[in-house]
């Protein structure tokens, strides 16, 4: 039997620590119509995708049906999604897109789900601090993301860290990975982005490209830079199911 959903009207404060600085998160309830998806979400970045397609894509993700049933059973979520308040009074999702889509689906079944709990990030937090906090929440790999999406998030942290003049050692400490692994991730991302663009496929074949770059960190990139025709031939072979041997 579904539990009754009781919504507290009292806002609550939850405190987080990011890079030794404390920030308050305001917990409140927001209407689904007030919540926006993030166009830079690694799940959809680079894709022209409407709300209907986003819902369809999320519905296909691992354990989504279990998430729906769990929310119905408990009458809501215990872990509010993370949002940024926009100037127009709307809220941009920074973490929790699957939970948001679950509420959209459940709102078709019950008005109880037309509002959902959110943690509002303070306006004083920088983009770098937000990305670092997300990294802290999920660790090196988002549990419901693929390795490719997680790698793109890693690159965003690196770029924001450099904008904030952090040293290579500080960046490695934040990410929890060494310089060699960072280099492999960046090189693999460059190849994968090019591969997706050139072939028009949606499957990045991340693991295959990552292992190929890892086996010869510089060789594959240098080969592709020198020989465009050979690169395109390899891309087509990979798309057709062949394996990359950098040697």
């Amino acid at each position: 039997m579904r539990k009754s959903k009781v919504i507290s009207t009292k806002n609550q404060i939850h405190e987080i620590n990011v890079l030794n600085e404390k920030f308050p998160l305001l917990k409140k309830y927001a209407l689904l119509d007030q919540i926006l998806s993030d166009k830079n979400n690694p799940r959809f970045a680079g894709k022209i995708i409407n709300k209907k397609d986003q819902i369809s894509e999320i519905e296909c993700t691992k354990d989504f049906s279990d998430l729906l049933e769990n929310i119905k059973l408990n009458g809501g979520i215990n872990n509010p999604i993370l949002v940024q308040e926009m100037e127009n009074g709307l809220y941009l999702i920074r973490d929790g897109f699957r939970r948001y889509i679950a509420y959209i689906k459940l709102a078709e079944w019950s008005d109880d789900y037309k509002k959902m709990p959110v943690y509002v990030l303070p306006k004083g937090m920088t983009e770098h601090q937000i990305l670092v906090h997300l990294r802290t929440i999920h660790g090196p790999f988002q549990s419901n993301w693929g390795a490719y999406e997680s790698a793109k998030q890693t690159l965003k942290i690196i770029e924001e860290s450099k904008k904030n003049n952090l040293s290579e050692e500080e960046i490695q400490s934040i990410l929890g990975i060494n310089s060699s692994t960072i280099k492999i991730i960046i090189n693999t991302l460059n190849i994968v982005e090019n591969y997706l663009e050139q072939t028009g496929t949606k499957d990045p074949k991340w693991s295959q490209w990552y292992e190929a770059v890892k086996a010869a960190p510089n060789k594959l990139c240098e080969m592709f830079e020198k020989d465009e025709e050979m690169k395109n031939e390899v891309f087509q072979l990979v798309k057709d199911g062949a394996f990359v041997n950098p040697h």
Side-chain angles (χ1 to χ4, degrees):
M1 181 177 178
R2 185 174 67 89
K3 294 182 179 179
S4 298
K5 187 177 177 65
V6 179
I7 296 179
S8 170
T9 56
K10 183 178 179 181
N11 293 335
Q12 302 172 25
I13 300 293
H14 173 71
E15 192 173 74
I16 59 173
N17 190 308
V18 182
L19 300 175
N20 298 317
E21 188 172 350
K22 292 182 179 179
F23 295 95
L25 298 182
L26 176 65
K27 180 182 176 182
K28 62 192 304 184
Y29 283 81
L31 291 167
L32 297 184
D33 291 342
Q34 294 178 289
I35 301 172
L36 304 173
S37 59
D38 183 4
K39 67 178 181 180
N40 294 315
N41 186 317
R43 291 184 189 275
F44 309 117
K47 303 178 187 178
I48 299 174
I49 188 165
N50 59 37
K51 177 65 72 64
K52 183 179 178 180
D53 290 337
Q54 288 179 342
I55 293 173
S56 297
E57 189 157 328
I58 292 299
E59 285 182 300
C60 295
T61 59
K62 182 181 177 182
D63 299 332
F64 183 74
S65 59
D66 291 339
L67 175 62
L68 283 175
E69 288 304 315
N70 185 267
I71 294 173
K72 286 171 67 175
L73 180 65
N74 290 285
I77 53 174
N78 295 320
N79 184 21
I81 67 172
L82 200 61
V83 300
Q84 276 181 292
E85 187 170 5
M86 311 299 285
E87 290 183 359
N88 55 9
L90 300 179
Y91 299 97
L92 179 70
I93 300 172
R94 296 309 305 264
D95 183 63
F97 191 69
R98 291 174 82 246
R99 281 165 280 163
Y100 166 65
I101 295 300
Y103 263 70
I104 288 178
K105 298 301 294 182
L106 291 170
E108 298 172 359
W109 170 71
S110 170
D111 287 347
D112 285 346
Y113 298 97
K114 289 187 175 180
K115 278 187 177 182
M116 73 179 302
V118 301
Y119 276 136
V120 184
L121 291 161
K123 293 184 178 181
M125 283 189 78
T126 66
E127 179 66 14
H128 179 250
Q129 289 167 330
I130 293 171
L131 291 172
V132 171
H133 178 57
L134 294 178
R135 181 80 173 193
T136 302
I137 294 173
H138 296 284
F141 297 100
Q142 289 267 17
S143 58
N144 293 305
W145 288 0
Y148 171 51
E149 288 77 12
S150 294
K152 288 194 288 186
Q153 190 75 349
T154 296
L155 182 60
K156 287 173 66 176
I157 294 176
I158 292 170
E159 291 172 345
E160 288 296 325
S161 295
K162 289 181 177 178
K163 288 179 185 178
N164 285 270
N165 299 315
L166 270 67
S167 68
E168 295 296 327
E169 290 76 16
E170 289 172 318
I171 295 173
Q172 292 170 42
S173 177
I174 289 170
L175 295 174
I177 53 180
N178 60 33
S179 60
S180 297
T181 302
I182 290 175
K183 184 175 182 180
I184 292 169
I185 289 173
I186 291 174
N187 285 346
T188 305
L189 270 172
N190 289 335
I191 290 175
V192 168
E193 295 288 356
N194 196 203
Y195 167 72
L196 293 174
E197 181 181 358
Q198 292 292 326
T199 62
T201 182
K202 292 184 178 180
D203 181 6
K205 295 188 181 291
W206 175 267
S207 296
Q208 183 177 340
W209 286 116
Y210 183 86
E211 291 302 320
V213 173
K214 183 179 177 181
N218 296 314
K219 187 173 182 180
L220 202 57
C221 292
E222 291 173 355
M223 287 168 56
F224 285 171
E225 286 178 4
K226 291 178 181 178
D227 194 331
E228 184 80 13
E229 185 176 346
M230 182 270 289
K231 179 190 73 174
N232 291 334
E233 288 177 2
V234 172
F235 281 177
Q236 189 58 48
L237 287 170
V238 171
K239 183 182 179 182
D240 293 339
F243 290 93
V244 179
N245 184 350
H247 303 293

